[in-house]
Amino acid sequence: MGCCRPKRPMLSLARVRWRGQRESDQVEDRRGLRVGRGGIALGGGGLLLLFAVAVLTGQDPLQLLQIVAEPPQVSVEGESEGRRGTPEDELGRFAATVLGSTEDVWRRKFTEKGGEYQLPRLVLFSDQVASACGFNSAAVGPFYCPADQKVYIDLSFFSDLDNRFAAPGDFAQAYVIAHEVGHHVQNLLGISGKVHAARGRQSEEEANAMSVRLELQADCLAGVWAHDANRATQLLEAGDVEEGLAAAAAIGDDRLQREAQGYTVPESWTHGSSEMRARWLRRGLEGGDASACDTFVRGAP
Ligand SMILES: [Zn+2]
């Protein structure tokens, strides 16, 4: 492991039409700030990003996958909040625009159901960050922390892509943010809370199966966002949907395991197979209906 450059096709880089659209001011810019050393955690979207970065830079994602861990509960005293508002650089503005678009879509959907959407905050960081879920290394990619309702992203991953391809705007990047926001939606709806509460009473296999359902639902919710955002602002260009599906398919547990160890163990999956991830993303994308994202019904995923 770690010896070989992964042999995978490059993801196509479809653009997102983000310029001129509303940028969220719920961004906390902690790039350049230093925090103490600590544990590491891997969000589901982190896998996608790891994969995308590995493909584009020739690094081995499997090495990084070895460090998957639950976030440790540690104090985050002394952590600076960083600059609040809307970033001024290209990558920061792109992330703020995608976040703003998720705010518009989910606010509307919650209001339609008589609810109120609480805005999550997006924390941009570099190298490592302290959240209410612990200290996390940038190597593991984006994650959502339910305890502080924030999505954490190290944009240096995006930055690598940016340097190679001249501009941000790749749908795969937007999808990563939307997936993490999907976890925020699950948190507001009490879904992730129930799943975590049940964890102590379950076998590892059962807990993994629940994790798969949670992750597939976040994929589906990301698809719902893309559907509505596209309808409202023609956010996506032709080819983006296919790119999103390809990205989701590329990071299924089955494919990652087969590449890591030559075989797959479905009982140990935590995010779902390539086919499942692409299928649930498509379901959200095609209908734009969050209630169709019920990955917890009997028979699913
Ligand atoms: Zn996830």
Side-chain angles (χ1 to χ4, degrees):
M1 210 98 56
C3 68
C4 317
R5 196 188 161 99
K7 295 179 193 65
R8 278 180 275 211
M10 291 233 298
L11 295 173
S12 65
L13 288 176
R15 320 303 305 173
V16 175
R17 285 197 197 96
W18 62 282
R19 282 173 210 281
Q21 306 213 28
R22 186 179 77 79
E23 295 167 23
S24 171
D25 59 2
Q26 296 297 309
V27 177
E28 218 176 281
D29 198 348
R30 295 192 205 164
R31 287 174 290 180
L33 297 180
R34 294 272 148 199
V35 296
R37 295 169 62 83
I40 40 187
L42 185 58
L47 284 172
L48 171 60
L49 201 51
L50 275 185
F51 173 77
V53 169
V55 167
L56 294 165
T57 63
Q59 288 161 3
D60 185 354
L62 305 175
Q63 219 170 5
L64 297 174
L65 287 171
Q66 300 309 305
I67 53 179
V68 174
E70 285 294 315
Q73 298 297 320
V74 297
S75 156
V76 294
E77 280 173 324
E79 168 74 355
S80 163
E81 282 225 327
R83 211 157 18 86
R84 285 278 309 278
T86 307
E88 284 165 13
D89 61 301
E90 285 280 287
L91 278 167
R93 289 184 59 197
F94 170 72
T97 305
V98 173
L99 181 67
S101 174
T102 64
E103 290 169 353
D104 294 342
V105 167
W106 290 114
R107 191 187 278 130
R108 193 168 55 239
K109 289 203 176 290
F110 272 69
T111 306
E112 278 168 11
K113 301 276 180 202
E116 194 188 338
Y117 182 60
Q118 293 162 265
L119 303 183
R121 226 181 273 169
L122 175 64
V123 179
L124 309 179
F125 70 98
S126 42
D127 301 331
Q128 48 188 345
V129 72
S131 73
C133 296
F135 285 101
N136 299 319
S137 155
V140 297
F143 64 96
Y144 172 71
C145 174
D148 57 21
Q149 304 200 354
K150 294 178 185 178
V151 170
Y152 292 82
I153 293 186
D154 174 6
L155 287 187
S156 65
F157 283 121
F158 288 174
S159 180
D160 288 345
L161 303 180
D162 191 31
N163 292 338
R164 284 184 176 222
F165 300 100
D170 170 18
F171 178 63
Q173 297 173 2
Y175 167 63
V176 166
I177 296 174
H179 172 98
E180 298 307 329
V181 170
H183 284 312
H184 174 64
V185 170
Q186 292 173 317
N187 185 29
L188 293 183
L189 296 177
I191 297 167
S192 33
K194 274 184 206 150
V195 169
H196 289 299
R199 196 152 280 171
R201 305 190 298 272
Q202 292 169 325
S203 68
E204 196 181 329
E205 263 181 45
E206 288 167 332
N208 287 343
M210 290 303 269
S211 168
V212 166
R213 289 169 188 254
L214 206 60
E215 292 300 330
L216 293 176
Q217 189 172 61
D219 286 337
C220 184
L221 295 174
V224 168
W225 160 74
H227 175 277
D228 276 34
N230 202 33
R231 205 177 45 180
T233 62
Q234 284 81 51
L235 186 77
L236 308 180
E237 294 184 356
D240 286 9
V241 170
E242 283 66 31
E243 181 188 7
L245 292 169
I251 50 153
D253 286 329
D254 53 342
R255 197 179 298 187
L256 294 172
Q257 280 186 345
R258 203 169 292 123
E259 281 162 11
Q261 60 198 27
Y263 58 91
T264 96
V265 185
E267 296 76 30
S268 69
W269 293 354
T270 53
H271 284 72
S273 69
S274 296
E275 183 276 325
M276 290 172 189
R277 299 202 69 169
R279 179 158 44 82
W280 282 98
L281 172 60
R282 184 185 285 281
R283 183 179 291 208
L285 266 169
E286 287 179 349
D289 178 9
S291 64
C293 296
D294 193 356
T295 54
F296 291 91
V297 293
R298 223 182 221 287

